[in-house]
Amino acid sequence: MNRPEAAALPGGTGTPPDRLAQRASRLLSQLATRSDRLVNEGLAGADARKWHYAVLASLADQGPASQAALSGRTGIYRSDMVGVLKELTGRGLVDRSPDPADQRRNLVTLSPEGRRRLRRLDQVLDEVHDELLAPLDPAERDQLVDLLTRLLRPRHPDAPPSPPVPG
């Protein structure tokens, strides 16, 4: 529930108690909700989804991969990856071909049209992030990214890494 919704409730003032308003977990949750909304709206305006961006970015940054490897890189469930790749293949953004090292699996590669599309989606997300982070100057934005990255790292060396968060 957002502030206007809370204020509309009977007796609601829209101002949470200080002990609630000062909780980092609550603030991070609210920011994540706002970020998701802005990213989803921005990508939808460009006829894309977060998972499209995640796959295209992975292929551009880390090279061709099997469906299973893409699932691991992006945090998209293998069963969902099938649909994402079908959409991207249908749009001509990725190509699937037999893996020369193992003919039983397909290798997914970024097409030239996929590279162009990714550049456009990067612009969309840059605009979204500018809106989301507007109150911060460039140094504060860098600091925020550094702090969030540190918070998402595993606390123990033996712990598995956190799954990537697209968008």
Side-chain angles (χ1 to χ4, degrees), residues 71-147:
S71 178
R73 288 181 188 176
T74 61
I76 300 171
Y77 291 115
R78 288 183 187 197
S79 58
D80 294 334
M81 182 62 74
V82 173
V84 172
L85 290 177
K86 184 177 179 180
E87 291 173 13
L88 294 174
T89 302
R91 294 176 182 203
L93 303 177
V94 301
D95 297 310
R96 287 192 269 193
S97 58
D99 184 342
D102 184 349
Q103 295 291 315
R104 295 172 296 174
R105 67 179 181 185
N106 284 322
L107 200 58
V108 181
T109 58
L110 189 60
S111 72
E113 181 59 30
R115 285 193 188 286
R116 285 188 289 276
R117 183 75 171 138
L118 179 59
R119 283 193 297 272
R120 173 65 186 121
L121 296 179
D122 280 334
Q123 292 172 343
V124 167
L125 290 180
D126 287 346
E127 292 168 10
V128 166
H129 290 145
D130 283 345
E131 179 181 347
L132 180 68
L133 302 175
L136 305 178
D137 65 38
E140 290 171 322
R141 291 177 185 200
D142 290 343
Q143 182 181 19
L144 176 63
V145 169
D146 180 57
L147 292 170

Side-chain angles (χ1 to χ4, degrees), residues 25-104:
S25 57
R26 182 172 192 268
L27 294 170
L28 287 168
S29 177
Q30 289 178 316
L31 185 60
T33 299
R34 182 166 185 242
S35 175
D36 275 350
R37 182 182 52 78
L38 291 172
V39 166
N40 288 332
E41 289 172 358
L43 290 174
D47 192 29
R49 295 183 301 130
K50 287 191 297 188
W51 298 129
H52 294 163
Y53 181 80
V55 170
L56 296 176
S58 173
L59 292 171
D61 292 353
Q62 298 172 306
S66 68
Q67 182 174 309
L70 280 172
S71 178
R73 288 181 188 176
T74 61
I76 300 171
Y77 291 115
R78 288 183 187 197
S79 58
D80 294 334
M81 182 62 74
V82 173
V84 172
L85 290 177
K86 184 177 179 180
E87 291 173 13
L88 294 174
T89 302
R91 294 176 182 203
L93 303 177
V94 301
D95 297 310
R96 287 192 269 193
S97 58
D99 184 342
D102 184 349
Q103 295 291 315
R104 295 172 296 174

